[in-house]
Amino acid sequence: MKDKRSKVNRKAVHVVTIGGGSGQYALLSGLRDLKGIRISAVVSMMDSGGSTGRLRDELGTLPPGDILKCILALSPHQETARVIFQKRFNKDRRLKGHNAGNMLLTMLSRYTGSFPAGVQALAEILDARGEILPVTIDRATLVAELTDGSRIYGESAIDTPRGHQRETIRDVYLVPHHSDAIAVYPPVLDAIADADIIILGPGDLFTSIIPNLIVPGLREKLSTVSAPIYHVVNIMTKFGETNHFQACDFISTIEGFTGRKISGAIVNTRRPDDRLLSLYRKQKAEFVSVGYPDDGCRLIMEDLLETSGDVIRHDPEKLAALIERIIADGSSQV
């Protein structure tokens, strides 16, 4: 019996994260150095802005930007790699505005013949500690339907509202580019089936997290697994996406797209100082108050704030330490 128990204790806890953008970068940066876990990062493939969008439109590739962030986050060479791979070209007319990492990932994908193979190759170069999985390898455009019935096409357009009176988002869906359907990348389903704990977010709700959940096959898979699902609630609202949201609004929206109750919501309790909040108010962003859901969702509340560089974000180390405790105290049921 003792031998069996020690064998179980040695088994790495499989943590699956689902998201994209800077939020998933922060989460993975913290999780990377935790002992006794293995990581699978499921990443949105709907980014359409900047260098990523140009490569998608000019070369017909899948967008590399969010995947690159995840590879950098999971690399033990993160700081040095960020300087090199996020360096932007300025001299060559065609290369101007692209960063080195996006170009390398795109070229590796074209040379190997598949985007996942290119991702694996770059992860190997940077010794990434975990697997990085595109949620789909089918090209698609994210479309948002607003409360006035109008539609916005493309992640970057949805992410950057124009004007001061844009209606909020009522629904989002995907439009395929060159096929009749979009499907989840099969290794994503394998990772979710094997997961001990699944973490959604943090990140922009409608442009980083939900684009994963609406890929056909993923929601259905989440409904079949017993692994607990936790949602890391954003610290600030996003104009045009989550205006006036409280934590309970994030939770109910996520549950509407997962089709199941989440096991718990991780909520920051520390309020940024008034000076910083005033800067964010200029972007029509507000601090997310807790609120209290009436459906019995477990709230895990703690100071998770980091504000260096006048940017409000989750502190990777604080967030990782909290997740480690969730796993250790048995509340993750692993």
Side-chain angles (χ1 to χ4, degrees), residues 26 235-236 268 270 272 276 280 303-319:
I235 297 174
M236 302 296 292
N268 168 67
R270 182 180 165 198
L276 195 49
Y280 271 73
D303 170 12
L304 300 170
L305 185 67
E306 205 275 318
T307 59
S308 63
D310 282 350
V311 177
I312 297 173
R313 59 168 74 87
H314 286 86
D315 183 293
E317 293 183 1
K318 292 179 182 178
L319 186 54

Side-chain angles (χ1 to χ4, degrees), residues 44-48 56 139-159 166-177 182 205-208 210-212 214-215 240-241 257:
S44 171
M45 286 286 97
M46 303 308 147
D47 191 4
S48 63
R56 188 191 72 163
R139 293 175 58 210
T141 292
L142 181 68
V143 181
E145 182 178 316
L146 306 185
T147 49
D148 64 359
S150 61
R151 292 178 175 83
I152 301 176
Y153 294 82
E155 179 271 343
S156 62
I158 299 167
D159 193 48
R166 195 183 91 171
E167 297 289 326
T168 55
I169 295 172
R170 179 167 58 195
D171 195 12
V172 288
Y173 56 92
L174 301 174
V175 176
H177 285 196
I182 305 162
L205 189 60
F206 286 99
T207 52
S208 290
I210 290 174
N212 294 285
I214 59 177
V215 173
E241 289 194 37
F257 281 92

Side-chain angles (χ1 to χ4, degrees), residues 231-243:
H231 172 47
V232 183
V233 175
N234 289 342
I235 297 174
M236 302 296 292
T237 63
K238 180 73 176 288
F239 175 57
E241 289 194 37
T242 53
N243 303 6

